[in-house]
mmCIF file with all atom_site columns, all heavy atoms in Angstrom:
data_model
loop_
_atom_site.group_PDB
_atom_site.id
_atom_site.type_symbol
_atom_site.label_atom_id
_atom_site.label_alt_id
_atom_site.label_comp_id
_atom_site.label_asym_id
_atom_site.label_entity_id
_atom_site.label_seq_id
_atom_site.pdbx_PDB_ins_code
_atom_site.Cartn_x
_atom_site.Cartn_y
_atom_site.Cartn_z
_atom_site.occupancy
_atom_site.B_iso_or_equiv
_atom_site.pdbx_formal_charge
_atom_site.auth_seq_id
_atom_site.auth_comp_id
_atom_site.auth_asym_id
_atom_site.auth_atom_id
_atom_site.pdbx_PDB_model_num
ATOM 1   N N   . LYS A 1 1  ? 86.103 55.505 67.564 1.00 0.00 ? 26 LYS A N   1
ATOM 2   C CA  . LYS A 1 1  ? 85.044 56.178 66.781 1.00 0.00 ? 26 LYS A CA  1
ATOM 3   C C   . LYS A 1 1  ? 84.113 56.940 67.769 1.00 0.00 ? 26 LYS A C   1
ATOM 4   O O   . LYS A 1 1  ? 83.682 56.360 68.781 1.00 0.00 ? 26 LYS A O   1
ATOM 5   C CB  . LYS A 1 1  ? 84.236 55.161 65.967 1.00 0.00 ? 26 LYS A CB  1
ATOM 6   C CG  . LYS A 1 1  ? 85.060 54.217 65.112 1.00 0.00 ? 26 LYS A CG  1
ATOM 7   C CD  . LYS A 1 1  ? 85.698 54.929 63.938 1.00 0.00 ? 26 LYS A CD  1
ATOM 8   C CE  . LYS A 1 1  ? 84.698 55.409 62.905 1.00 0.00 ? 26 LYS A CE  1
ATOM 9   N NZ  . LYS A 1 1  ? 83.949 54.298 62.256 1.00 0.00 ? 26 LYS A NZ  1
ATOM 10  N N   . THR A 1 2  ? 83.821 58.176 67.415 1.00 0.00 ? 27 THR A N   1
ATOM 11  C CA  . THR A 1 2  ? 83.118 59.036 68.370 1.00 0.00 ? 27 THR A CA  1
ATOM 12  C C   . THR A 1 2  ? 81.636 59.228 68.084 1.00 0.00 ? 27 THR A C   1
ATOM 13  O O   . THR A 1 2  ? 81.183 59.086 66.942 1.00 0.00 ? 27 THR A O   1
ATOM 14  C CB  . THR A 1 2  ? 83.799 60.420 68.458 1.00 0.00 ? 27 THR A CB  1
ATOM 15  O OG1 . THR A 1 2  ? 83.845 60.996 67.147 1.00 0.00 ? 27 THR A OG1 1
ATOM 16  C CG2 . THR A 1 2  ? 85.196 60.290 69.024 1.00 0.00 ? 27 THR A CG2 1
ATOM 17  N N   . ASN A 1 3  ? 80.934 59.578 69.120 1.00 0.00 ? 28 ASN A N   1
ATOM 18  C CA  . ASN A 1 3  ? 79.487 59.797 69.104 1.00 0.00 ? 28 ASN A CA  1
ATOM 19  C C   . ASN A 1 3  ? 79.120 61.026 68.259 1.00 0.00 ? 28 ASN A C   1
ATOM 20  O O   . ASN A 1 3  ? 79.908 61.962 68.119 1.00 0.00 ? 28 ASN A O   1
ATOM 21  C CB  . ASN A 1 3  ? 78.974 59.964 70.529 1.00 0.00 ? 28 ASN A CB  1
ATOM 22  C CG  . ASN A 1 3  ? 77.513 59.643 70.692 1.00 0.00 ? 28 ASN A CG  1
ATOM 23  O OD1 . ASN A 1 3  ? 76.838 59.290 69.744 1.00 0.00 ? 28 ASN A OD1 1
ATOM 24  N ND2 . ASN A 1 3  ? 77.018 59.790 71.918 1.00 0.00 ? 28 ASN A ND2 1
ATOM 25  N N   . LEU A 1 4  ? 77.891 61.035 67.756 1.00 0.00 ? 29 LEU A N   1
ATOM 26  C CA  . LEU A 1 4  ? 77.426 62.110 66.906 1.00 0.00 ? 29 LEU A CA  1
ATOM 27  C C   . LEU A 1 4  ? 75.916 62.174 66.893 1.00 0.00 ? 29 LEU A C   1
ATOM 28  O O   . LEU A 1 4  ? 75.236 61.231 67.236 1.00 0.00 ? 29 LEU A O   1
ATOM 29  C CB  . LEU A 1 4  ? 77.943 61.901 65.464 1.00 0.00 ? 29 LEU A CB  1
ATOM 30  C CG  . LEU A 1 4  ? 77.391 60.707 64.667 1.00 0.00 ? 29 LEU A CG  1
ATOM 31  C CD1 . LEU A 1 4  ? 77.394 61.004 63.188 1.00 0.00 ? 29 LEU A CD1 1
ATOM 32  C CD2 . LEU A 1 4  ? 78.178 59.445 64.953 1.00 0.00 ? 29 LEU A CD2 1
ATOM 33  N N   . ASP A 1 5  ? 75.399 63.323 66.441 1.00 0.00 ? 30 ASP A N   1
ATOM 34  C CA  . ASP A 1 5  ? 73.974 63.401 66.114 1.00 0.00 ? 30 ASP A CA  1
ATOM 35  C C   . ASP A 1 5  ? 73.713 62.465 64.968 1.00 0.00 ? 30 ASP A C   1
ATOM 36  O O   . ASP A 1 5  ? 74.432 62.470 63.940 1.00 0.00 ? 30 ASP A O   1
ATOM 37  C CB  . ASP A 1 5  ? 73.577 64.830 65.717 1.00 0.00 ? 30 ASP A CB  1
ATOM 38  C CG  . ASP A 1 5  ? 73.512 65.782 66.936 1.00 0.00 ? 30 ASP A CG  1
ATOM 39  O OD1 . ASP A 1 5  ? 72.942 65.391 67.943 1.00 0.00 ? 30 ASP A OD1 1
ATOM 40  O OD2 . ASP A 1 5  ? 74.046 66.914 66.810 1.00 0.00 ? 30 ASP A OD2 1
ATOM 41  N N   . GLN A 1 6  ? 72.694 61.662 65.089 1.00 0.00 ? 31 GLN A N   1
ATOM 42  C CA  . GLN A 1 6  ? 72.431 60.610 64.105 1.00 0.00 ? 31 GLN A CA  1
ATOM 43  C C   . GLN A 1 6  ? 72.475 61.140 62.666 1.00 0.00 ? 31 GLN A C   1
ATOM 44  O O   . GLN A 1 6  ? 71.866 62.168 62.340 1.00 0.00 ? 31 GLN A O   1
ATOM 45  C CB  . GLN A 1 6  ? 71.067 59.975 64.401 1.00 0.00 ? 31 GLN A CB  1
ATOM 46  C CG  . GLN A 1 6  ? 70.766 58.700 63.624 1.00 0.00 ? 31 GLN A CG  1
ATOM 47  C CD  . GLN A 1 6  ? 69.471 58.050 64.063 1.00 0.00 ? 31 GLN A CD  1
ATOM 48  O OE1 . GLN A 1 6  ? 68.429 58.561 63.747 1.00 0.00 ? 31 GLN A OE1 1
ATOM 49  N NE2 . GLN A 1 6  ? 69.572 56.969 64.842 1.00 0.00 ? 31 GLN A NE2 1
ATOM 50  N N   . PHE A 1 7  ? 73.191 60.437 61.803 1.00 0.00 ? 32 PHE A N   1
ATOM 51  C CA  . PHE A 1 7  ? 73.407 60.810 60.391 1.00 0.00 ? 32 PHE A CA  1
ATOM 52  C C   . PHE A 1 7  ? 73.909 62.246 60.269 1.00 0.00 ? 32 PHE A C   1
ATOM 53  O O   . PHE A 1 7  ? 73.632 62.918 59.275 1.00 0.00 ? 32 PHE A O   1
ATOM 54  C CB  . PHE A 1 7  ? 72.125 60.595 59.593 1.00 0.00 ? 32 PHE A CB  1
ATOM 55  C CG  . PHE A 1 7  ? 71.741 59.116 59.473 1.00 0.00 ? 32 PHE A CG  1
ATOM 56  C CD1 . PHE A 1 7  ? 70.573 58.640 60.048 1.00 0.00 ? 32 PHE A CD1 1
ATOM 57  C CD2 . PHE A 1 7  ? 72.557 58.244 58.802 1.00 0.00 ? 32 PHE A CD2 1
ATOM 58  C CE1 . PHE A 1 7  ? 70.236 57.285 59.965 1.00 0.00 ? 32 PHE A CE1 1
ATOM 59  C CE2 . PHE A 1 7  ? 72.252 56.884 58.710 1.00 0.00 ? 32 PHE A CE2 1
ATOM 60  C CZ  . PHE A 1 7  ? 71.081 56.416 59.276 1.00 0.00 ? 32 PHE A CZ  1
ATOM 61  N N   . ALA A 1 8  ? 74.658 62.663 61.254 1.00 0.00 ? 33 ALA A N   1
ATOM 62  C CA  . ALA A 1 8  ? 75.271 64.012 61.244 1.00 0.00 ? 33 ALA A CA  1
ATOM 63  C C   . ALA A 1 8  ? 74.208 65.107 60.996 1.00 0.00 ? 33 ALA A C   1
ATOM 64  O O   . ALA A 1 8  ? 74.485 66.118 60.370 1.00 0.00 ? 33 ALA A O   1
ATOM 65  C CB  . ALA A 1 8  ? 76.359 64.104 60.150 1.00 0.00 ? 33 ALA A CB  1
ATOM 66  N N   . THR A 1 9  ? 73.024 64.896 61.565 1.00 0.00 ? 34 THR A N   1
ATOM 67  C CA  . THR A 1 9  ? 71.921 65.811 61.395 1.00 0.00 ? 34 THR A CA  1
ATOM 68  C C   . THR A 1 9  ? 71.616 66.486 62.747 1.00 0.00 ? 34 THR A C   1
ATOM 69  O O   . THR A 1 9  ? 70.863 65.964 63.563 1.00 0.00 ? 34 THR A O   1
ATOM 70  C CB  . THR A 1 9  ? 70.657 65.085 60.825 1.00 0.00 ? 34 THR A CB  1
ATOM 71  O OG1 . THR A 1 9  ? 71.007 64.475 59.586 1.00 0.00 ? 34 THR A OG1 1
ATOM 72  C CG2 . THR A 1 9  ? 69.529 66.063 60.618 1.00 0.00 ? 34 THR A CG2 1
ATOM 73  N N   . GLY A 1 10 ? 72.220 67.624 62.965 1.00 0.00 ? 35 GLY A N   1
ATOM 74  C CA  . GLY A 1 10 ? 71.998 68.371 64.187 1.00 0.00 ? 35 GLY A CA  1
ATOM 75  C C   . GLY A 1 10 ? 73.234 69.109 64.636 1.00 0.00 ? 35 GLY A C   1
ATOM 76  O O   . GLY A 1 10 ? 74.386 68.764 64.244 1.00 0.00 ? 35 GLY A O   1
ATOM 77  N N   . LEU A 1 11 ? 73.064 70.124 65.431 1.00 0.00 ? 36 LEU A N   1
ATOM 78  C CA  . LEU A 1 11 ? 74.125 70.939 65.972 1.00 0.00 ? 36 LEU A CA  1
ATOM 79  C C   . LEU A 1 11 ? 74.162 70.829 67.508 1.00 0.00 ? 36 LEU A C   1
ATOM 80  O O   . LEU A 1 11 ? 74.783 71.654 68.186 1.00 0.00 ? 36 LEU A O   1
ATOM 81  C CB  . LEU A 1 11 ? 73.962 72.401 65.559 1.00 0.00 ? 36 LEU A CB  1
ATOM 82  C CG  . LEU A 1 11 ? 74.110 72.674 64.068 1.00 0.00 ? 36 LEU A CG  1
ATOM 83  C CD1 . LEU A 1 11 ? 73.702 74.135 63.777 1.00 0.00 ? 36 LEU A CD1 1
ATOM 84  C CD2 . LEU A 1 11 ? 75.519 72.410 63.575 1.00 0.00 ? 36 LEU A CD2 1
ATOM 85  N N   . VAL A 1 12 ? 73.518 69.816 68.022 1.00 0.00 ? 37 VAL A N   1
ATOM 86  C CA  . VAL A 1 12 ? 73.315 69.735 69.469 1.00 0.00 ? 37 VAL A CA  1
ATOM 87  C C   . VAL A 1 12 ? 74.118 68.665 70.193 1.00 0.00 ? 37 VAL A C   1
ATOM 88  O O   . VAL A 1 12 ? 74.494 68.804 71.344 1.00 0.00 ? 37 VAL A O   1
ATOM 89  C CB  . VAL A 1 12 ? 71.785 69.560 69.761 1.00 0.00 ? 37 VAL A CB  1
ATOM 90  C CG1 . VAL A 1 12 ? 71.048 70.849 69.494 1.00 0.00 ? 37 VAL A CG1 1
ATOM 91  C CG2 . VAL A 1 12 ? 71.216 68.384 68.984 1.00 0.00 ? 37 VAL A CG2 1
ATOM 92  N N   . GLY A 1 13 ? 74.318 67.530 69.537 1.00 0.00 ? 38 GLY A N   1
ATOM 93  C CA  . GLY A 1 13 ? 75.077 66.431 70.143 1.00 0.00 ? 38 GLY A CA  1
ATOM 94  C C   . GLY A 1 13 ? 74.280 65.500 71.008 1.00 0.00 ? 38 GLY A C   1
ATOM 95  O O   . GLY A 1 13 ? 74.848 64.586 71.630 1.00 0.00 ? 38 GLY A O   1
ATOM 96  N N   . VAL A 1 14 ? 72.958 65.708 71.102 1.00 0.00 ? 39 VAL A N   1
ATOM 97  C CA  . VAL A 1 14 ? 72.125 64.857 71.975 1.00 0.00 ? 39 VAL A CA  1
ATOM 98  C C   . VAL A 1 14 ? 71.263 63.870 71.180 1.00 0.00 ? 39 VAL A C   1
ATOM 99  O O   . VAL A 1 14 ? 70.555 63.046 71.773 1.00 0.00 ? 39 VAL A O   1
ATOM 100 C CB  . VAL A 1 14 ? 71.229 65.712 72.873 1.00 0.00 ? 39 VAL A CB  1
ATOM 101 C CG1 . VAL A 1 14 ? 72.095 66.632 73.746 1.00 0.00 ? 39 VAL A CG1 1
ATOM 102 C CG2 . VAL A 1 14 ? 70.221 66.506 72.074 1.00 0.00 ? 39 VAL A CG2 1
ATOM 103 N N   . ARG A 1 15 ? 71.348 63.923 69.859 1.00 0.00 ? 40 ARG A N   1
ATOM 104 C CA  . ARG A 1 15 ? 70.467 63.115 69.022 1.00 0.00 ? 40 ARG A CA  1
ATOM 105 C C   . ARG A 1 15 ? 71.137 61.752 68.698 1.00 0.00 ? 40 ARG A C   1
ATOM 106 O O   . ARG A 1 15 ? 71.473 61.471 67.550 1.00 0.00 ? 40 ARG A O   1
ATOM 107 C CB  . ARG A 1 15 ? 70.116 63.855 67.744 1.00 0.00 ? 40 ARG A CB  1
ATOM 108 C CG  . ARG A 1 15 ? 69.370 65.149 67.948 1.00 0.00 ? 40 ARG A CG  1
ATOM 109 C CD  . ARG A 1 15 ? 69.234 65.931 66.661 1.00 0.00 ? 40 ARG A CD  1
ATOM 110 N NE  . ARG A 1 15 ? 68.344 67.102 66.814 1.00 0.00 ? 40 ARG A NE  1
ATOM 111 C CZ  . ARG A 1 15 ? 68.077 68.004 65.835 1.00 0.00 ? 40 ARG A CZ  1
ATOM 112 N NH1 . ARG A 1 15 ? 68.680 67.841 64.653 1.00 0.00 ? 40 ARG A NH1 1
ATOM 113 N NH2 . ARG A 1 15 ? 67.283 69.012 66.073 1.00 0.00 ? 40 ARG A NH2 1
ATOM 114 N N   . SER A 1 16 ? 71.388 60.978 69.703 1.00 0.00 ? 41 SER A N   1
ATOM 115 C CA  . SER A 1 16 ? 72.100 59.715 69.501 1.00 0.00 ? 41 SER A CA  1
ATOM 116 C C   . SER A 1 16 ? 71.573 58.640 70.438 1.00 0.00 ? 41 SER A C   1
ATOM 117 O O   . SER A 1 16 ? 71.370 58.884 71.622 1.00 0.00 ? 41 SER A O   1
ATOM 118 C CB  . SER A 1 16 ? 73.612 59.918 69.774 1.00 0.00 ? 41 SER A CB  1
ATOM 119 O OG  . SER A 1 16 ? 74.283 58.675 69.768 1.00 0.00 ? 41 SER A OG  1
ATOM 120 N N   . PRO A 1 17 ? 71.383 57.428 69.911 1.00 0.00 ? 42 PRO A N   1
ATOM 121 C CA  . PRO A 1 17 ? 70.979 56.321 70.788 1.00 0.00 ? 42 PRO A CA  1
ATOM 122 C C   . PRO A 1 17 ? 72.131 55.830 71.649 1.00 0.00 ? 42 PRO A C   1
ATOM 123 O O   . PRO A 1 17 ? 71.919 54.996 72.548 1.00 0.00 ? 42 PRO A O   1
ATOM 124 C CB  . PRO A 1 17 ? 70.532 55.244 69.819 1.00 0.00 ? 42 PRO A CB  1
ATOM 125 C CG  . PRO A 1 17 ? 71.309 55.523 68.581 1.00 0.00 ? 42 PRO A CG  1
ATOM 126 C CD  . PRO A 1 17 ? 71.459 57.023 68.502 1.00 0.00 ? 42 PRO A CD  1
ATOM 127 N N   . TYR A 1 18 ? 73.342 56.336 71.447 1.00 0.00 ? 43 TYR A N   1
ATOM 128 C CA  . TYR A 1 18 ? 74.482 55.964 72.228 1.00 0.00 ? 43 TYR A CA  1
ATOM 129 C C   . TYR A 1 18 ? 74.739 56.925 73.409 1.00 0.00 ? 43 TYR A C   1
ATOM 130 O O   . TYR A 1 18 ? 75.809 56.897 74.004 1.00 0.00 ? 43 TYR A O   1
ATOM 131 C CB  . TYR A 1 18 ? 75.729 55.857 71.341 1.00 0.00 ? 43 TYR A CB  1
ATOM 132 C CG  . TYR A 1 18 ? 75.602 54.819 70.269 1.00 0.00 ? 43 TYR A CG  1
ATOM 133 C CD1 . TYR A 1 18 ? 75.156 55.155 68.985 1.00 0.00 ? 43 TYR A CD1 1
ATOM 134 C CD2 . TYR A 1 18 ? 75.867 53.479 70.539 1.00 0.00 ? 43 TYR A CD2 1
ATOM 135 C CE1 . TYR A 1 18 ? 75.027 54.204 67.996 1.00 0.00 ? 43 TYR A CE1 1
ATOM 136 C CE2 . TYR A 1 18 ? 75.724 52.491 69.559 1.00 0.00 ? 43 TYR A CE2 1
ATOM 137 C CZ  . TYR A 1 18 ? 75.283 52.874 68.302 1.00 0.00 ? 43 TYR A CZ  1
ATOM 138 O OH  . TYR A 1 18 ? 75.132 51.894 67.318 1.00 0.00 ? 43 TYR A OH  1
ATOM 139 N N   . GLY A 1 19 ? 73.740 57.744 73.704 1.00 0.00 ? 44 GLY A N   1
ATOM 140 C CA  . GLY A 1 19 ? 73.831 58.644 74.853 1.00 0.00 ? 44 GLY A CA  1
ATOM 141 C C   . GLY A 1 19 ? 74.040 60.085 74.373 1.00 0.00 ? 44 GLY A C   1
ATOM 142 O O   . GLY A 1 19 ? 74.599 60.354 73.322 1.00 0.00 ? 44 GLY A O   1
ATOM 143 N N   . GLU A 1 20 ? 73.524 61.005 75.169 1.00 0.00 ? 45 GLU A N   1
ATOM 144 C CA  . GLU A 1 20 ? 73.626 62.416 74.845 1.00 0.00 ? 45 GLU A CA  1
ATOM 145 C C   . GLU A 1 20 ? 75.048 62.920 75.118 1.00 0.00 ? 45 GLU A C   1
ATOM 146 O O   . GLU A 1 20 ? 75.582 62.710 76.179 1.00 0.00 ? 45 GLU A O   1
ATOM 147 C CB  . GLU A 1 20 ? 72.655 63.265 75.668 1.00 0.00 ? 45 GLU A CB  1
ATOM 148 C CG  . GLU A 1 20 ? 71.176 62.973 75.353 1.00 0.00 ? 45 GLU A CG  1
ATOM 149 C CD  . GLU A 1 20 ? 70.248 63.910 76.102 1.00 0.00 ? 45 GLU A CD  1
ATOM 150 O OE1 . GLU A 1 20 ? 70.718 64.664 76.979 1.00 0.00 ? 45 GLU A OE1 1
ATOM 151 O OE2 . GLU A 1 20 ? 69.038 63.910 75.800 1.00 0.00 ? 45 GLU A OE2 1
ATOM 152 N N   . GLY A 1 21 ? 75.640 63.596 74.140 1.00 0.00 ? 46 GLY A N   1
ATOM 153 C CA  . GLY A 1 21 ? 76.945 64.193 74.350 1.00 0.00 ? 46 GLY A CA  1
ATOM 154 C C   . GLY A 1 21 ? 76.813 65.296 75.383 1.00 0.00 ? 46 GLY A C   1
ATOM 155 O O   . GLY A 1 21 ? 75.890 66.102 75.337 1.00 0.00 ? 46 GLY A O   1
ATOM 156 N N   . LYS A 1 22 ? 77.773 65.328 76.326 1.00 0.00 ? 47 LYS A N   1
ATOM 157 C CA  . LYS A 1 22 ? 77.746 66.304 77.406 1.00 0.00 ? 47 LYS A CA  1
ATOM 158 C C   . LYS A 1 22 ? 78.937 67.246 77.292 1.00 0.00 ? 47 LYS A C   1
ATOM 159 O O   . LYS A 1 22 ? 80.043 66.831 76.983 1.00 0.00 ? 47 LYS A O   1
ATOM 160 C CB  . LYS A 1 22 ? 77.758 65.606 78.791 1.00 0.00 ? 47 LYS A CB  1
ATOM 161 C CG  . LYS A 1 22 ? 76.526 64.697 78.996 1.00 0.00 ? 47 LYS A CG  1
ATOM 162 C CD  . LYS A 1 22 ? 76.666 63.911 80.285 1.00 0.00 ? 47 LYS A CD  1
ATOM 163 C CE  . LYS A 1 22 ? 75.537 62.914 80.451 1.00 0.00 ? 47 LYS A CE  1
ATOM 164 N NZ  . LYS A 1 22 ? 75.682 62.076 81.671 1.00 0.00 ? 47 LYS A NZ  1
ATOM 165 N N   . ASN A 1 23 ? 78.681 68.495 77.584 1.00 0.00 ? 48 ASN A N   1
ATOM 166 C CA  . ASN A 1 23 ? 79.698 69.535 77.474 1.00 0.00 ? 48 ASN A CA  1
ATOM 167 C C   . ASN A 1 23 ? 80.878 69.205 78.406 1.00 0.00 ? 48 ASN A C   1
ATOM 168 O O   . ASN A 1 23 ? 80.673 68.770 79.544 1.00 0.00 ? 48 ASN A O   1
ATOM 169 C CB  . ASN A 1 23 ? 79.108 70.894 77.823 1.00 0.00 ? 48 ASN A CB  1
ATOM 170 C CG  . ASN A 1 23 ? 80.072 72.020 77.521 1.00 0.00 ? 48 ASN A CG  1
ATOM 171 O OD1 . ASN A 1 23 ? 80.920 72.375 78.317 1.00 0.00 ? 48 ASN A OD1 1
ATOM 172 N ND2 . ASN A 1 23 ? 79.918 72.602 76.340 1.00 0.00 ? 48 ASN A ND2 1
ATOM 173 N N   . ALA A 1 24 ? 82.090 69.443 77.905 1.00 0.00 ? 49 ALA A N   1
ATOM 174 C CA  . ALA A 1 24 ? 83.302 69.117 78.671 1.00 0.00 ? 49 ALA A CA  1
ATOM 175 C C   . ALA A 1 24 ? 83.452 69.956 79.914 1.00 0.00 ? 49 ALA A C   1
ATOM 176 O O   . ALA A 1 24 ? 84.200 69.580 80.862 1.00 0.00 ? 49 ALA A O   1
ATOM 177 C CB  . ALA A 1 24 ? 84.526 69.273 77.786 1.00 0.00 ? 49 ALA A CB  1
ATOM 178 N N   . PHE A 1 25 ? 82.741 71.097 80.024 1.00 0.00 ? 50 PHE A N   1
ATOM 179 C CA  . PHE A 1 25 ? 82.869 72.006 81.171 1.00 0.00 ? 50 PHE A CA  1
ATOM 180 C C   . PHE A 1 25 ? 81.663 71.949 82.109 1.00 0.00 ? 50 PHE A C   1
ATOM 181 O O   . PHE A 1 25 ? 81.806 72.221 83.278 1.00 0.00 ? 50 PHE A O   1
ATOM 182 C CB  . PHE A 1 25 ? 83.069 73.454 80.679 1.00 0.00 ? 50 PHE A CB  1
ATOM 183 C CG  . PHE A 1 25 ? 84.338 73.651 79.944 1.00 0.00 ? 50 PHE A CG  1
ATOM 184 C CD1 . PHE A 1 25 ? 84.360 73.541 78.575 1.00 0.00 ? 50 PHE A CD1 1
ATOM 185 C CD2 . PHE A 1 25 ? 85.517 73.937 80.608 1.00 0.00 ? 50 PHE A CD2 1
ATOM 186 C CE1 . PHE A 1 25 ? 85.564 73.705 77.865 1.00 0.00 ? 50 PHE A CE1 1
ATOM 187 C CE2 . PHE A 1 25 ? 86.697 74.129 79.907 1.00 0.00 ? 50 PHE A CE2 1
ATOM 188 C CZ  . PHE A 1 25 ? 86.725 74.001 78.524 1.00 0.00 ? 50 PHE A CZ  1
ATOM 189 N N   . ASN A 1 26 ? 80.503 71.655 81.566 1.00 0.00 ? 51 ASN A N   1
ATOM 190 C CA  . ASN A 1 26 ? 79.278 71.633 82.377 1.00 0.00 ? 51 ASN A CA  1
ATOM 191 C C   . ASN A 1 26 ? 78.345 70.613 81.746 1.00 0.00 ? 51 ASN A C   1
ATOM 192 O O   . ASN A 1 26 ? 77.776 70.846 80.665 1.00 0.00 ? 51 ASN A O   1
ATOM 193 C CB  . ASN A 1 26 ? 78.643 73.019 82.383 1.00 0.00 ? 51 ASN A CB  1
ATOM 194 C CG  . ASN A 1 26 ? 77.408 73.126 83.262 1.00 0.00 ? 51 ASN A CG  1
ATOM 195 O OD1 . ASN A 1 26 ? 76.767 72.094 83.573 1.00 0.00 ? 51 ASN A OD1 1
ATOM 196 N ND2 . ASN A 1 26 ? 77.064 74.318 83.682 1.00 0.00 ? 51 ASN A ND2 1
#
């Protein structure tokens, strides 16, 4: 199961207590 912006609210990927999602290239 993968990380997400909490309650699927956001287009950024950093709104998670499980760590900020980081871009695969940078």
Side-chain angles (χ1 to χ4, degrees):
K26 308 289 293 296
T27 57
N28 202 0
L29 67 153
D30 285 315
Q31 192 174 72
F32 293 115
T34 302
L36 295 172
V37 289
V39 301
R40 298 171 173 178
S41 172
Y43 297 96
E45 294 186 352
K47 298 174 185 177
N48 190 275
F50 295 93
N51 184 337

